[in-house]
Amino acid sequence: MSTVAVLFVCLGNICRSPTAHAVFRQIVIAQGLDSKIQVDSAGTGDWHLGRAPDARSTATAAERGYDLSDLRARLVTSSDFAHFDYIIAMDNSNLNDLQVMRPSEFSGELELFLNYPAKDRYSGYTEVPDPYLGGAEGFALVLEMIEDASLGLLEHIKAQLQQSDMAGG
Ligand code: 4NP
């Protein structure tokens, strides 16, 4: 089986994308795919570089068994497009910023995370909303959406890996 690399991107890289990083990584490990699928996260803004994730994200995720403690904020760069096969934006603003950076030779997928739905529970949403200035319920909603979308993204990637294996890629 070939290998792929997945990058989750939000604005600060301290709330949504590190949550997605930890949740998706854990599901990948649980399915025995961690030697096939590499996971990382980054932000489009530089306010929190080198910092640990927001304590509210860390606590909300820890209640459901996800560990964010090893993650540190970094900026997304144009060289990420050379390494990652899937660059996953949390909202349309992140997606627009990434589309501006996107080199013409990038042949991977640059997509909104909620374009990979596992269930219909969040059908009213097209974006993972920024929880930074809101209350605890925003962080809980973000975690639920990320758990749901992670399953959808992983199914999509597994199907693509199988196709490329069958094609000898
Ligand atoms: P994130 O949330 O993009 O999900 O990490 C934010 C974190 C910090 C800021 C904005 C959004 N900020 O403006 O500092």
Side-chain angles (χ1 to χ4, degrees):
M1 206 191 231
S2 37
T3 64
V4 297
V6 181
L7 181 67
F8 294 102
V9 178
C10 64
L11 179 57
N13 192 210
I14 56 168
C15 299
R16 293 165 294 173
S17 62
T19 301
H21 184 160
V23 168
F24 192 76
R25 162 173 81 179
Q26 188 154 317
I27 296 170
V28 163
I29 290 170
Q31 295 199 14
L33 293 168
D34 45 313
S35 64
K36 310 289 174 208
I37 303 177
Q38 189 209 339
V39 188
D40 198 3
S41 61
T44 61
D46 63 2
W47 307 283
H48 305 282
L49 298 184
R51 300 229 185 102
D54 188 288
R56 298 165 294 175
S57 294
T58 300
T60 306
E63 281 173 23
R64 297 268 266 266
Y66 304 106
D67 182 11
L68 274 60
S69 63
D70 61 309
L71 306 181
R72 295 293 178 270
R74 75 167 179 88
L75 265 180
V76 63
T77 67
S78 54
S79 62
D80 285 319
F81 285 85
H83 179 71
F84 291 93
D85 305 287
Y86 298 86
I87 299 185
I88 307 297
M90 296 294 141
D91 64 31
N92 280 308
S93 170
N94 312 144
L95 183 63
N96 287 342
D97 289 342
L98 290 163
Q99 278 165 343
V100 169
M101 297 174 70
R102 176 189 185 141
S104 55
E105 61 272 21
F106 177 66
S107 60
E109 286 187 21
L110 173 58
E111 271 291 350
L112 279 177
F113 198 16
L114 295 192
N115 277 352
Y116 304 98
K119 301 184 190 130
D120 280 338
R121 278 188 299 168
Y122 303 107
S123 57
Y125 289 88
T126 56
E127 309 174 274
V128 181
D130 182 349
Y132 187 63
L133 295 176
E137 67 287 348
F139 285 84
L141 174 66
V142 161
L143 179 61
E144 287 199 6
M145 291 175 127
I146 285 173
E147 285 182 315
D148 208 28
S150 290
L151 295 173
L153 175 60
L154 186 54
E155 288 311 306
H156 173 80
I157 291 175
K158 281 159 66 175
Q160 287 203 331
L161 278 171
Q162 274 170 5
Q163 272 180 8
S164 83
D165 282 349
M166 283 189 292

